[in-house]
Amino acid sequence: MSQFISVFDMLKIGVGPSSSHTLGPWRAAQEWVQKLRDSNLFNMIDSVKVDLYGSLSLTGKGHATDLAILLGLSEADPEYIPIEDIFTIVDRINTQEELHFKGGKQIVFPNNAIQFHRDFLPFHSNGVTFRGYSKGKEISTETYYSIGGGFIVQENDTLEDEIEINKQNFPYPINRAKQLEEYCENDNLLISEVVFKNELEINSAEKIDAELSRIWETMLECMYIGCHTEGILPGGLNVKRRAYNTHQKLIKDAVYSNQKEWITAIRSTEVKFREILKWVSCFALSVNEVNASLGRVVTAPTNGSAGVIPAVLMYYLVIENHEADFNEIKQFLLTAGEIGSIFKKNATISAAMGGCQAEIGVSSAMAAGALTELLGGSPAQCLVAAEIAMEHHLGLTCDPIGGLVQVPCIERNSMGAIKAINAAEMALETDPKEVKVPLDKVIDTMWETAKDMHKNYKETSEGGLAINVGLADC
Ligand code: SF4
């Protein structure tokens, strides 16, 4: 049986700033508490300790891993928690030194209950261990690994355990890009149509549409908030939000009062090449500024790279096709999701495993392939576009200054988005039969490069910009 990763596994609604360091540990904490409840240990637990290892420890403070653990242990849901409640809950735990579970149970949780360890666990670089005690005796110990994109596993899990729901047979089992291309060719289908047929095995058409619509609305809201929020990002780097000013200059005195009218207003602005670059950059910056301030974003495929896909889709809607509606949005997200899942199955979408090529590189490839389909490219050309986008991110390291998902991360989303558009345009002018590097080969190359990459460049903030430009310089 081939493993199927749903588009909803690749595009998840969550809270910034990091899918591997925020969303994953949050989900792990939630899962551990649920396990306690299921095994009847919950009522016995009177204290909890948490150990963070490797990259989760080294960049955990900057990536808000400790806050995510607190929220997960409090059984808050990252998809639905009101953003304004986040700091209320965290402040209460830190001040009262108590955890409050659903149903009213409270236990002592001192400020040193989360320990940061520099060493790495052998299984994966993002490890977190939860320990539960009753009268001083350890009665529950579980270790989870956050493997990127909000996915979590335990040591002996397979991908199918990781994605519980997707164990049935699918009409188009896809592991490699070549298979996807052959299905499209044999059955005369677009990539998005193949993906939709697979998705129908696990959800109704109405549910798929409703969820895709919710994902897009979250992306749009994120861009809207980012474009209308001034100030300095939290974390101590003193990074000024830039989407606000860029947006003000581009939108000028247009009048609008909601997101729908905003799209219409942008469509009415005059856009030449320079303005197009600025709009796309602005959309990407806006998302990642919201992400950096612990706002609600869609992991696509990660939080650090959450700006690329919304920026490219918005580009299509406001620049390329003013008549576009939900059908195009759906096509784009389905195609992007499938391309991302091929990377996940054959390489990684985790910066702790593969550096930034696994985040921005993958998101750029997803966006490039999806845009190519909307621009009328063949399925083979979509895969060429994804290949071009990744090829020119190969080797990209992860070296965030101060462990924060801000520099170089925020700008990097703009670059990934622009490269995706360029890759799509190049692919549309390419005969796929003449391509020297197929997508599968570039994915294999990315994975080999990931394995060869020094650990200092894998989300540890121990190399590159993170040490040449430290927090003290900012
Ligand atoms: S450098 Fe890239 S991979 Fe690393 S945190 Fe920033 S966006 Fe994510």
Side-chain angles (χ1 to χ4, degrees):
M1 188 191 304
S2 186
Q3 295 158 332
F4 176 69
I5 300 178
S6 164
V7 65
F8 303 111
D9 293 316
M10 296 306 299
L11 305 173
K12 295 195 273 283
I13 299 172
V15 170
S18 167
S19 44
S20 57
H21 286 53
T22 317
L23 189 57
W26 189 325
R27 290 285 188 213
Q30 278 181 295
E31 194 170 308
W32 180 62
V33 174
Q34 189 55 49
K35 217 173 215 181
L36 291 177
R37 287 184 182 280
D38 295 343
S39 60
N40 298 323
L41 293 174
F42 181 75
N43 289 336
M44 297 163 66
I45 294 280
D46 55 28
S47 79
V48 167
K49 285 187 183 159
V50 184
D51 293 299
L52 298 172
Y53 296 96
S55 173
L56 279 191
S57 167
L58 293 168
T59 55
K61 282 276 180 203
H63 284 51
T65 306
D66 45 350
L67 305 197
I69 296 282
L70 298 180
L71 292 157
L73 291 174
S74 305
E75 301 180 89
D77 188 330
E79 202 169 328
Y80 295 102
I81 183 174
I83 294 300
E84 57 278 14
D85 288 359
I86 287 179
F87 286 103
T88 312
I89 294 173
V90 168
D91 287 345
R92 189 186 63 204
I93 296 170
N94 288 336
T95 313
Q96 300 178 356
E97 301 197 70
E98 265 179 5
L99 274 179
H100 294 226
F101 297 98
K102 271 188 195 156
K105 179 178 169 104
Q106 298 173 17
I107 62 169
V108 173
F109 194 78
N111 290 334
N112 63 358
I114 300 178
Q115 290 289 317
F116 292 77
H117 304 274
R118 291 185 62 82
D119 49 320
F120 286 68
L121 297 180
F123 182 74
H124 189 279
S125 49
N126 284 337
V128 51
T129 300
F130 298 93
R131 301 177 200 281
Y133 299 85
S134 177
K135 298 181 185 145
K137 187 170 169 231
E138 193 166 317
I139 58 168
S140 170
T141 312
E142 297 284 346
T143 298
Y144 294 85
Y145 300 91
S146 178
I147 58 170
F151 291 91
I152 50 168
V153 293
Q154 292 197 276
E155 202 147 333
N156 297 317
D157 286 352
T158 62
L159 181 64
E160 287 175 9
D161 293 314
E162 186 189 328
I163 306 164
E164 283 290 336
I165 192 173
N166 304 329
K167 289 188 177 172
Q168 56 270 66
N169 285 314
F170 292 88
Y172 297 104
I174 300 161
N175 276 322
R176 307 290 289 181
K178 186 69 190 157
Q179 287 171 304
L180 173 59
E181 188 179 336
E182 284 169 2
Y183 294 140
C184 292
E185 208 173 291
N186 294 343
D187 292 1
N188 197 22
L189 294 169
L190 298 171
I191 291 177
S192 59
E193 291 170 331
V194 167
V195 182
F196 188 63
K197 284 176 187 289
N198 276 343
E199 291 289 343
L200 282 173
E201 292 297 309
I202 47 177
N203 281 310
S204 67
E206 294 71 28
K207 178 91 192 300
I208 295 168
D209 284 3
E211 285 303 298
L212 288 174
S213 175
R214 198 161 69 91
I215 285 171
W216 168 243
E217 278 159 19
T218 305
M219 289 177 172
L220 180 60
E221 184 181 33
C222 190
M223 286 185 277
Y224 191 81
I225 291 171
C227 284
H228 295 86
T229 309
E230 299 181 79
I232 304 288
L233 293 172
L237 264 185
N238 291 320
V239 172
K240 190 177 170 196
R241 287 172 177 264
R242 282 186 289 172
Y244 180 87
N245 278 345
T246 308
H247 177 259
Q248 288 290 304
K249 284 185 197 158
L250 291 167
I251 198 79
K252 300 197 173 82
D253 51 5
V255 178
Y256 52 89
S257 59
N258 57 43
Q259 290 154 22
K260 209 170 158 201
E261 288 174 13
W262 183 49
I263 288 182
T264 307
I266 299 171
R267 283 174 172 168
S268 317
T269 60
E270 196 193 336
V271 280
K272 299 194 182 115
F273 182 66
R274 287 184 66 198
E275 280 77 23
I276 293 173
L277 286 178
K278 286 181 189 194
W279 269 120
V280 174
S281 297
C282 180
F283 297 141
L285 293 179
S286 66
V287 171
N288 289 84
E289 288 172 1
V290 170
N291 182 59
S293 49
L294 278 79
R296 174 146 290 123
V297 298
V298 178
T299 62
T302 66
N303 280 26
S305 59
V308 175
I309 284 175
V312 175
L313 179 49
M314 191 69 163
Y315 157 79
Y316 180 78
L317 298 176
V318 298
I319 309 282
E320 279 295 332
N321 182 1
H322 290 190
E323 306 302 318
D325 59 18
F326 176 68
N327 288 328
E328 281 84 1
I329 293 168
K330 175 176 171 180
Q331 245 183 294
F332 187 98
L333 296 177
L334 290 171
T335 304
E338 187 59 47
I339 292 170
S341 79
I342 297 173
F343 275 95
K344 176 160 172 57
K345 287 173 194 164
N346 296 285
T348 179
I349 56 167
S350 162
M353 296 290 282
C356 200
Q357 58 174 356
E359 292 207 10
I360 299 290
V362 174
S363 62
S364 187
M366 292 164 72
L371 178 63
T372 304
E373 182 170 311
L374 291 189
L375 293 174
S378 67
Q381 286 175 316
C382 296
L383 301 176
V384 170
E387 183 283 316
I388 294 172
M390 172 48 78
E391 186 179 321
H392 303 288
H393 284 96
L394 283 175
L396 189 65
T397 59
C398 170
D399 53 357
I401 297 175
L404 295 157
V405 193
Q406 296 183 11
V407 184
C409 318
I410 297 173
E411 273 180 10
R412 205 162 266 183
N413 279 265
S414 301
M415 304 310 290
I418 296 292
K419 274 195 202 178
I421 296 168
N422 196 10
E425 292 298 343
M426 288 171 76
L428 288 166
E429 300 303 322
T430 300
D431 177 352
K433 291 194 184 70
E434 291 172 4
V435 163
K436 305 284 182 223
V437 186
L439 178 57
D440 287 324
K441 285 281 177 209
V442 94
I443 294 174
D444 294 344
T445 305
M446 177 206 150
W447 185 222
E448 291 300 322
T449 309
K451 286 186 280 187
D452 286 342
M453 194 181 277
H454 193 280
K455 73 170 183 50
N456 287 1
Y457 301 103
K458 293 182 182 176
E459 213 165 8
T460 56
S461 286
E462 293 194 325
L465 292 172
I467 56 167
N468 285 327
V469 188
L471 255 181
D473 298 306
C474 298

